[in-house]
Amino acid sequence: MKLFIDTADIAEIERIAGWGVLAGVTTNPSLLAAVEGDEDTIYRRICELVDGPISAEVTEPDVKDMVSEGRRLSAIHPNIVVKLPTCAEGLTATSELAKDGIPVNMTLCFTGSQALLAAAAGARYVSPFVGRYDDIGNDGVEALRDVVESLFATEYDVQVITASVRSPVHVQEAAKMGADIATIPPKVFDQMLGHPLTDKGLEKFNADAAARAAKTKKTPAKSRKKG
Ligand code: E4P
């Protein structure tokens, strides 16, 4: 399963890209509202930082305007994927853009049947929202499974992006069931990496390396940082 980052925060994208784990980026209007700067400049900078699909969301409500905004976003960089909502207008706009070979990520997807419609319209990616399904008292992981299994035996060339990820457990469950991608907030990347036993073990190794160096009067290697 590929790992994308779910943010428009350039510093965070740069930080996690530095780990060498990122295969793409997703943004949305709320994530963009949380950062300063011109949107197109942000998209261009993200495309410089990560060589993979970069989702940029359309905000126009009508089909004609969705299509022209999608074309405009797509022209920013060859890696831009146009993000459209899973609704009637979004499906029509997706099929129009797909005819031009423009990749679309259909977002705000919650069920297998919505995912099938997105795939049939020509979406290259479909994004089931796990956390928001949990938020209303349902089982987001099961909703994701519904999407993955609904698309599994179809002929569509579509990839499932596990979205609205709230914890490392969501990422692991997505990987175990065979979802193609998880798009992960920076905070969850940190939670995936950190473990108290890793920190404790590293402290002990560093202390033992320093003690040995002192005994042998060698300059100790610089202490390694905690994970
Ligand atoms: C990604 O494509 C989605 O926009 C994002 O994961 C939504 O996450 P949220 O439910 O935490 O806002």
Side-chain angles (χ1 to χ4, degrees):
M1 184 178 72
K2 289 188 178 134
L3 307 185
F4 288 12
I5 192 166
D6 192 28
T7 185
D9 184 327
I10 297 296
E12 288 292 61
I13 295 170
E14 209 164 357
R15 181 172 74 86
I16 306 295
W19 296 0
V21 299
L22 291 185
V25 181
T26 52
T27 63
N28 65 36
S30 308
L31 293 170
L32 278 166
V35 297
E36 299 290 325
D38 164 70
E39 284 182 23
D40 290 11
T41 309
I42 292 172
Y43 293 139
R44 279 193 204 95
R45 181 65 186 133
I46 295 175
C47 290
E48 283 169 9
L49 290 171
V50 179
D51 185 18
I54 312 297
S55 286
E57 190 156 341
V58 160
T59 54
E60 292 291 347
D62 303 321
V63 174
K64 198 165 155 268
D65 296 334
M66 279 177 167
V67 172
S68 48
E69 190 184 354
R71 289 201 175 111
R72 191 191 69 73
L73 289 168
S74 167
I76 292 173
H77 191 279
N79 284 355
I80 292 286
V81 171
V82 175
K83 208 173 179 194
L84 283 163
T86 309
C87 60
E89 293 80 3
L91 287 174
T92 311
T94 294
S95 66
E96 283 297 309
L97 293 170
K99 276 181 217 148
D100 291 352
I102 293 175
V104 173
N105 170 7
M106 290 213 84
T107 188
L108 290 166
C109 170
F110 291 90
T111 66
S113 50
Q114 286 182 317
L116 281 167
L117 288 169
R124 195 81 60 79
Y125 303 91
V126 61
S127 291
F129 275 35
V130 177
R132 290 197 201 185
Y133 215 73
D134 285 346
D135 291 345
I136 59 158
N138 285 314
D139 188 337
V141 168
E142 280 315 301
L144 173 66
R145 195 184 315 281
D146 180 39
V147 169
V148 170
E149 289 180 0
S150 297
L151 294 174
F152 183 72
T154 65
E155 74 277 20
Y156 302 117
D157 181 17
V158 63
Q159 294 192 50
V160 175
I161 303 181
T162 308
S164 189
V165 163
R166 302 267 197 269
S167 71
V169 173
H170 283 163
V171 181
Q172 286 168 244
E173 290 301 320
K176 284 192 257 181
M177 76 177 71
D180 303 285
I181 297 156
T183 189
I184 305 167
K187 184 181 130 193
V188 177
F189 270 108
D190 290 325
Q191 291 171 337
M192 288 168 72
L193 180 62
H195 196 285
L197 289 178
T198 305
D199 294 346
K200 198 177 161 201
L202 198 47
E203 263 172 39
K204 172 88 174 104
F205 287 157
N206 284 338
D208 288 346
R212 186 172 192 279
K215 236 193 275 173
T216 56
K217 293 198 173 59
K218 273 192 202 154
T219 318
K222 224 176 176 183
S223 272
R224 292 165 291 175
K225 279 190 196 156
K226 284 185 199 172

